[in-house]
Amino acid sequence: MSRSTRSSPRSLALVLALLLAHAFSAAAADTPGLPPAVAAQLPEVRIRGGGELTFLGLSIYDARLFRDTRARGEVSTDERFALELIYKRRLYGTLIADRSVEEMTKLGYGSEEQRARWGARLKKILRDVDDGDSITGVNLPKRAVRFYKNGAPIGTIDDPEFARAFFAIWFDPRTSEPVLRKQLLGEAP
């Protein structure tokens, strides 16, 4: 065998190391994070938990919570975080807005007038979604919720009471989806 066709143990180790590095970098690239426009606002957040919302056995969306790496315990609208919903089916934005207001009402957040105002604003912001689309809500502490669809800004509701009511849908202990809440908080598999 000529010198050029023989493999030394060092060259095999180098090729193996390069293949492993490529596999790890590909796996990291496959791990979804926040869209760049959202991540730029939240440099210290990491995914803390996630789960799936189903209704009558149908998958509606996957939800992921991104929080500051130092945050512990309950989610508070006094902290900066993002909640991303990745839809598994086509839904109309107006129905998403109506369902959000319905959940806020069940939990007792806001007055009837506030919920009507919030619902009207949500109907203007939330667009129809298809399978694979994401809507991300970013909590701006004590100020607002900024919404993104597939990483592009779609609107902001400047009202700290709305922020508390909106995120309570997922994080209030009385939520209609307690298993999803635990998954988002990283408390359940």
Side-chain angles (χ1 to χ4, degrees):
M1 224 183 221
S2 74
R3 183 171 174 85
S4 63
T5 59
R6 279 193 285 173
S7 298
S8 71
R10 277 174 86 183
S11 62
L12 284 175
L14 179 61
V15 168
L16 183 58
L18 289 172
L19 287 172
L20 285 172
H22 176 71
F24 284 123
S25 66
D30 290 341
T31 304
L34 284 170
V38 179
Q41 294 183 63
L42 303 163
E44 296 298 318
V45 302
R46 300 290 178 266
I47 191 165
R48 297 302 291 274
E52 178 183 33
L53 177 73
T54 60
F55 180 73
L56 300 175
L58 298 173
S59 181
I60 307 300
Y61 60 72
D62 288 331
R64 302 183 313 162
L65 172 63
F66 294 83
R67 287 179 87 182
D68 187 290
T69 54
R70 299 166 300 231
R72 300 284 180 259
E74 299 295 317
V75 172
S76 167
T77 54
D78 291 339
E79 68 179 279
R80 193 174 275 265
F81 63 86
L83 178 68
E84 180 180 47
L85 306 179
I86 304 164
Y87 288 86
K88 301 292 191 95
R89 60 190 54 260
R90 180 170 181 71
L91 293 173
Y92 297 107
T94 55
L95 294 177
I96 297 169
D98 287 342
R99 180 72 177 151
S100 297
V101 171
E102 184 181 314
E103 289 295 318
M104 290 182 231
T105 302
K106 285 181 187 176
L107 292 168
Y109 283 88
S111 67
E112 192 172 325
E113 177 195 328
Q114 285 175 307
R115 291 189 303 266
R117 189 173 61 246
W118 296 337
R121 186 73 179 114
L122 280 171
K123 285 178 181 179
K124 289 180 180 177
I125 292 173
L126 298 178
R127 315 260 169 74
D128 297 350
V129 294
D130 287 309
D131 183 13
D133 284 342
S134 69
I135 293 181
T136 305
V138 175
N139 182 61
L140 304 174
K142 301 178 184 178
R143 208 178 95 216
V145 178
R146 185 167 295 142
F147 292 96
Y148 296 81
K149 181 178 179 191
N150 298 329
I154 56 174
T156 301
I157 297 181
D158 290 305
D159 183 343
E161 287 186 55
F162 168 78
R164 278 190 294 283
F166 180 74
F167 289 116
I169 295 169
W170 295 271
F171 301 117
D172 189 293
R174 302 167 296 150
T175 181
S176 63
E177 298 295 332
V179 172
L180 179 58
R181 176 183 180 271
K182 285 185 176 211
Q183 291 171 335
L184 287 167
L185 295 174
E187 297 173 357

